[in-house]
Amino acid sequence: MHTTTLHTVTGPLSHEAVRGPALAHEHLVLDLDLKGDGGAVLDAQRHGPAVTAELAALRKEFGLSLVIELTCRGMGRDPSALAAIARDSGVAVVAATGWYYEPFHTPELADASVGRLTDALVREIESGLDGTGIRPGVLGEVGSHGDRPSEPETRSLRAAARAAGATGLSVATHAQLGRGGLAQLELLTAEGLPPHRVSIGHQDLLDDPAVHKELAASGAYVAFDTVGKESYQSDDTRLRLLLALIEAGHADRALLSCDISRHGYLETEGGQGYGHLFRSFLPRLRAAGADEDLIDLMTRRNPLRFLTGASVEEI
């Protein structure tokens, strides 16, 4: 099952209308503040104007056309705020549903069966998020930590796979520090979800080209989605790992993004911002030999194919 229509926070959008690059894994509004220091927050009121301004500037300078926004249940999701940011910036935004990894699980995960969790996700996909009528266009970032998902994370992943199969959406994962991606893929595909409807997250934090090649060879997307987060991994290492994936013949499986998840990452606060991919990393990729068709593949066609389930020939 695939479609050529994206469900964005401002309504349906044909993939053909997305002429410029996409950011495959971002957060525009979120609250992951477990420590109480307010750092892991992007507040709609306080930070929304800066987020909107950054996206509008990237649309003007680089043609940014789409953001896949993977803030889900338990992460401070705010679909109405996303719709306002999309309208004001002129950049289409796809919102998400699902459950993040275990420290952020909401109470309903404590004892719910996979079937009950699946039903909850399908309801949101079909009727909208949090009573807004705004429909999600992706499941994500469905999380796990460690080499194998915990028991509640396993139920969450299985429910996401079933909901994806029932509704025609794709699943983007959170693999904590890049670990456990193969186990995530095994769980998702065991529920009947085709690998090309899966993006395994944060693989640029895992310095293991063999794992990346195995994921890509299976047909899954490999997300290099924390570009610029130098405290986790250097962009030198990210570039080396991405070039290895490209040289292995898997450029059509790579997704790129910055995963802005703290207000300190915003340009107004001295951070790298959503534009780091375009202003810093892609120029280095070009200098390493990537041509514009390859850049377009990884920043536009791949995200669209991931979201829609389309083949290389179709987009």
Side-chain angles (χ1 to χ4, degrees):
M1 184 196 309
H2 79 267
T3 175
T4 56
T5 301
L6 311 175
H7 293 296
T8 81
V9 294
T10 52
L13 180 70
S14 166
H15 78 80
E16 292 174 342
V18 181
R19 301 290 178 84
L23 288 167
H25 181 141
E26 292 301 338
H27 303 280
L28 307 179
V29 181
L30 95 166
D31 185 350
L32 299 179
D33 185 21
L34 290 183
K35 295 179 181 175
D37 63 3
V41 170
L42 289 165
D43 180 82
Q45 304 306 123
R46 285 182 293 147
H47 310 118
V51 170
T52 302
E54 283 200 33
L55 298 188
L58 293 173
R59 179 176 61 83
K60 187 174 179 183
E61 188 175 353
F62 299 102
L64 177 66
S65 296
L66 179 70
V67 173
I68 303 174
E69 213 278 4
L70 293 179
T71 306
C72 59
R73 290 166 169 241
M75 296 178 75
R77 183 178 65 189
D78 187 339
S80 297
L82 296 183
I85 290 169
R87 282 192 297 268
D88 293 347
S89 67
V91 176
V93 175
V94 170
T97 187
W99 288 275
Y100 194 31
Y101 76 119
E102 192 172 355
F104 297 92
H105 279 182
T106 49
E108 72 259 50
L109 269 153
D111 55 1
S113 67
V114 174
R116 216 165 93 205
L117 296 174
T118 303
D119 291 344
L121 295 176
V122 170
R123 271 197 307 275
E124 285 203 324
I125 293 164
E126 293 180 344
S127 63
L129 300 169
D130 309 328
T132 62
I134 293 169
R135 293 176 62 185
V138 68
L139 288 131
E141 55 180 302
V142 184
S144 71
H145 65 298
D147 292 326
R148 299 207 69 83
S150 68
E151 190 277 328
E153 289 169 347
T154 295
R155 279 185 284 120
S156 164
L157 283 156
R158 289 177 63 199
R162 291 186 190 181
T167 60
L169 296 189
S170 296
V171 176
T173 77
H174 165 89
Q176 179 77 356
L177 301 177
R179 293 172 58 198
L182 290 168
Q184 289 181 339
L185 184 62
E186 182 185 334
L187 266 175
L188 294 166
T189 55
E191 295 293 336
L193 190 63
H196 73 279
R197 301 312 301 260
V198 177
S199 164
I200 301 296
H202 310 323
Q203 290 308 288
D204 51 335
L205 301 180
L206 182 74
D207 192 347
D208 192 339
V211 169
H212 301 156
K213 289 171 193 172
E214 187 174 347
L215 290 168
S218 79
Y221 289 92
V222 182
F224 283 59
D225 54 13
T226 66
V227 176
K229 287 187 167 181
E230 294 271 351
S231 63
Y232 288 91
Q233 182 77 280
S234 73
D235 277 357
D236 288 344
T237 299
R238 288 187 180 91
L239 185 62
R240 169 173 57 77
L241 293 169
L242 181 59
L243 290 170
L245 192 66
I246 293 167
E247 285 158 14
H250 297 303
D252 62 340
R253 297 292 119 187
L255 296 174
L256 304 177
S257 212
C258 299
D259 190 23
I260 298 302
S261 56
R262 303 175 69 85
H263 59 83
Y265 291 140
L266 296 174
E267 286 185 353
T268 50
E269 300 195 17
Q272 68 271 34
Y274 299 96
H276 179 86
L277 178 70
F278 305 109
R279 296 197 175 105
S280 176
F281 193 75
L282 292 182
R284 295 183 62 187
L285 191 57
R286 290 183 179 99
D291 62 18
E292 292 312 305
D293 183 67
L294 184 61
I295 300 288
D296 180 73
L297 175 69
M298 293 191 291
T299 62
R300 186 182 67 87
R301 292 174 351 242
N302 285 354
L304 291 175
R305 286 168 42 233
F306 162 66
L307 286 174
T308 62
S311 68
V312 177
E313 295 74 30
E314 290 169 301
I315 296 179

